[in-house]
Amino acid sequence: MKINIYSIMKPANDEFDKLAKEFIKMSLKYAKVEIHYIFNKKIAKAQTLSEDEAKKSYSEVYEPHLKNSSLNIALDVLGKKIDSFKFSEIFNNNSEINFFIGGAFGFEKNFLNKCDTIISLSELTMAHKVAHLVLIEQVFRGLCIKNNHPYHK
């Protein structure tokens, strides 16, 4: 199984990054997890734009990475709230999964409609690097649940 996590942030060599790498390393016995950082001028400028324009920017940079052969999951505050056990079911019967972490304003409806599933990590707004780390930890937790590893207890 291959899991791709798409994130609109600059890669950083900080404590968040160290923890993320640790969870990815622990996940390797169950799946190949890859992080794809997408940060360009359009994303840098999005913070200064209106909400609609920012959403459009996020969607435009992610859209080329949507794959028909993969399960595409958007992380957006408007998504379904699920627990870790329900989250682990995502890993059943899917050989490749793409996660797209929404920006501060979320995604355009058009992008969300192109995704197979929309989930929310929380009703709280999180810094992108926090949401990124929470997702990576939940991926590891979900893989552990799926494989009957005791980490999730």
Side-chain angles (χ1 to χ4, degrees), residues 3-112:
I3 300 167
N4 296 298
I5 298 173
Y6 292 92
S7 186
I8 52 171
M9 64 183 218
K10 290 180 187 177
N13 192 17
D14 58 12
E15 294 304 313
F16 288 95
D17 186 56
K18 290 175 187 169
L19 282 169
K21 286 178 180 174
E22 187 63 31
F23 282 116
I24 290 168
K25 183 179 174 183
M26 292 187 297
S27 298
L28 282 174
K29 61 181 119 182
Y30 306 119
K32 180 178 182 181
V33 180
E34 289 185 3
I35 307 300
H36 304 274
Y37 296 105
I38 303 171
F39 190 86
N40 56 30
K41 289 179 184 176
K42 183 175 277 201
I43 294 303
K45 187 178 176 185
Q47 299 295 354
T48 65
L49 301 174
S50 71
E51 182 175 336
D52 289 341
E53 291 173 318
K55 285 181 178 182
K56 184 176 181 180
S57 295
Y58 309 146
S59 299
E60 285 176 355
V61 298
Y62 279 148
E63 198 158 328
H65 303 284
L66 289 169
K67 299 176 187 170
N68 290 333
S69 60
S70 303
L71 179 67
N72 296 294
I73 301 172
L75 274 67
D76 190 276
V77 71
L78 299 176
K80 291 182 279 187
K81 278 80 174 156
I82 58 175
D83 65 19
S84 296
F85 289 95
K86 190 75 173 167
F87 185 85
S88 72
E89 292 175 11
I90 291 169
F91 305 113
N92 295 338
N93 307 316
N94 292 297
S95 60
E96 185 169 1
I97 302 167
N98 299 315
F99 288 98
F100 299 93
I101 303 173
F105 300 110
F107 291 108
E108 289 183 299
K109 291 228 182 270
N110 187 37
F111 181 82
L112 294 174

